[in-house]
Amino acid sequence: MKTLRFSAALLVAGTIALFSSCQKDDVTTPNSGLTVGGGLAVTVPDGGSIDLSVAGPYASKTKGTVSRSGSVYTVTNFAQGTVTAPADSTQWSNVASTYYFNLATNVGGDSVNATTVSYTLRFTGSANGDIYAYSSTYTLNYQDTAFATAKGVTTIAAPGGKLGTNNIYMGAVLVSAGTGWYDYDISSHIVTAHQPRTLILKDRTTGKAVWKVSITSIYSNSTPNAGSSATNYPYYNFQYQAL
């Protein structure tokens, strides 16, 4: 099985520390079955869930589940790739270098093609840890408010339209401060979602807040499989809700 590693370049006294080893267009009910962005929204039953490996046009390259409680959707162990791992059918032998997820249709997406936009969020970069919104439709922003209460009213624009590394620590010592969705400990090579931080996607034309998203973990089952240099990533766990 191919294993990803975080690779680090420590920023001390001027050296940058990086990741190391280790449409909807006013659709207020994303599970409504409406056609959105050229694709049919997959209904997630309230109190139930769907299997991303069998739902949607890109099911063959997607793993994970989506569950729903009222208007809040929870994604568990989302990843895209090729060749299912022989020892664990929930994981990939070959993880894609970029993941796509469509908040409007509740399933895995793909890159833009000639006829449709089939994703809302793009996960790419080192260990797929950099998050972008589909920039022709949305701007990516954030607010340091718990997901449950975030309204997207007062937000800060994501620098360069990207949210990746936030703070970098060596144990309890802050090494470098940034703006992103995760904190990274270079001594243990463990990533932790920075909380409370809620991603806000706004309509690029109107400026209206359309979606809120909270990333909770990049590890399968939301738990690193080791106290140091865990290898069960990148399997995204997050919540989302239409605003």
Side-chain angles (χ1 to χ4, degrees):
M1 176 178 175
K2 180 179 178 182
T3 302
L4 291 178
R5 293 280 180 187
F6 291 113
S7 59
L10 175 60
L11 197 185
V12 180
T15 308
I16 298 178
L18 296 173
F19 235 160
S20 136
S21 166
C22 44
Q23 312 178 10
K24 164 187 168 175
D25 296 324
D26 288 333
V27 176
T28 58
T29 310
N31 66 312
S32 62
L34 297 175
T35 298
V36 181
L40 189 67
V42 175
T43 298
V44 181
D46 194 4
S49 64
I50 61 170
D51 183 346
L52 293 174
S53 68
V54 297
Y58 306 105
S60 64
K61 59 182 286 183
T62 305
K63 293 186 183 296
T65 62
V66 180
S67 60
R68 179 166 74 97
S69 177
S71 60
V72 176
Y73 293 75
T74 300
V75 179
T76 303
N77 297 341
F78 167 65
Q80 293 186 306
T82 59
V83 186
T84 295
D88 186 348
S89 63
T90 67
Q91 300 198 4
W92 294 109
S93 288
N94 301 316
V95 177
S97 60
T98 301
Y99 299 166
Y100 302 91
F101 193 86
N102 193 324
L103 301 176
T105 60
N106 306 314
V107 293
D110 201 350
S111 58
V112 178
N113 60 43
T115 59
T116 185
V117 176
S118 57
Y119 74 91
T120 314
L121 293 175
R122 175 166 58 97
F123 307 82
T124 191
S126 180
N128 298 61
D130 295 337
I131 300 177
Y132 297 82
Y134 179 62
S135 60
S136 292
T137 304
Y138 304 105
T139 61
L140 181 61
N141 308 268
Y142 70 93
Q143 64 180 113
D144 287 340
T145 306
F147 175 79
T149 57
K151 302 297 183 184
V153 177
T154 302
T155 63
I156 301 172
K162 177 186 79 173
L163 288 174
T165 313
N166 189 61
N167 294 335
I168 297 177
Y169 294 89
M170 180 174 288
V173 178
L174 178 65
V175 175
S176 176
T179 302
W181 72 265
Y182 68 86
D183 295 330
Y184 180 59
D185 187 336
I186 60 174
S187 59
S188 64
H189 305 300
I190 296 295
V191 166
T192 304
H194 184 81
Q195 298 292 350
R197 179 153 292 173
T198 301
L199 283 59
I200 303 293
L201 279 67
K202 292 186 174 182
D203 183 282
R204 178 169 289 280
T205 301
T206 67
K208 175 186 175 183
V210 181
W211 296 101
K212 63 177 179 178
V213 180
S214 175
I215 310 297
T216 55
S217 180
I218 200 172
Y219 298 103
S220 60
N221 300 318
S222 296
T223 305
N225 62 3
S228 179
S229 299
T231 58
N232 58 326
Y233 66 87
Y235 290 86
Y236 270 94
N237 297 270
F238 60 93
Q239 292 182 301
Y240 65 95
Q241 185 178 20
L243 291 170

